[in-house]
Amino acid sequence: MFAIDYKSGQPIFEQIYRGVVKLGAAGAFGEGGQLPSVRAVARELGVNPNTIQKAYAMLERDGVIYSVPGKGSFLAKPEAVLEKRRAGALDQLRQAVREALDCGVAPEELAQALDQMVQGKKEESP
């Protein structure tokens, strides 16, 4: 269910966090769907259960999931998950723009690149 890239340099718990948000936004768990248990995910990925627990705790803190004692962890409202993913994407875009400007990329060049990317995405859509 989750894919881990050990060469990415990104901590495993963050990869799990992003994976849950991405799958939740895509509807993989269904509305209010139950996530796999910490132990099951740890066993599947071959990582320490504490790593998975840390990711789940962060997801709960951010309102992406909620826990029911004795029952497990469940996805919060899909709209909340989608909003979380949207906010993360916009944050990454802001960081990329800051970095590009710091490297001397002209604002016009940034705008042109963004327009090309948006147009390319529109052409891919059915």
Side-chain angles (χ1 to χ4, degrees), residues 70-125:
K71 302 275 187 202
S73 298
F74 298 84
L75 190 65
K77 295 181 182 179
E79 301 83 31
V81 176
L82 192 56
E83 180 55 33
K84 180 72 177 165
R85 187 161 184 217
R86 183 182 166 283
L90 288 173
D91 185 48
Q92 288 178 339
L93 178 61
R94 286 184 195 98
Q95 290 175 11
V97 167
R98 272 189 232 110
E99 185 174 338
L101 291 171
D102 289 347
C103 292
V105 177
E108 298 80 20
E109 190 177 354
L110 280 172
Q112 182 181 14
L114 183 59
D115 285 344
Q116 288 174 348
M117 291 175 72
V118 170
Q119 290 303 319
K121 186 66 174 173
K122 285 181 183 176
E123 291 170 4
E124 290 176 11
S125 299

Side-chain angles (χ1 to χ4, degrees), residues 29-43:
F29 302 113
E31 186 167 342
Q34 186 171 8
L35 275 68
S37 72
V38 168
R39 288 182 184 166
V41 175
R43 191 172 36 254

Side-chain angles (χ1 to χ4, degrees), residues 2-59:
F2 300 108
I4 299 298
D5 181 3
Y6 294 99
K7 296 179 183 178
S8 75
Q10 184 181 38
I12 293 172
F13 69 89
E14 287 183 14
Q15 292 183 49
I16 297 296
Y17 181 101
R18 291 176 188 265
V20 169
V21 171
K22 184 177 181 179
L23 290 170
F29 302 113
E31 186 167 342
Q34 186 171 8
L35 275 68
S37 72
V38 168
R39 288 182 184 166
V41 175
R43 191 172 36 254
E44 177 184 327
L45 298 176
V47 300
N48 189 312
N50 291 335
T51 302
I52 309 304
Q53 183 58 45
K54 183 174 183 176
Y56 277 27
M58 289 173 55
L59 288 159

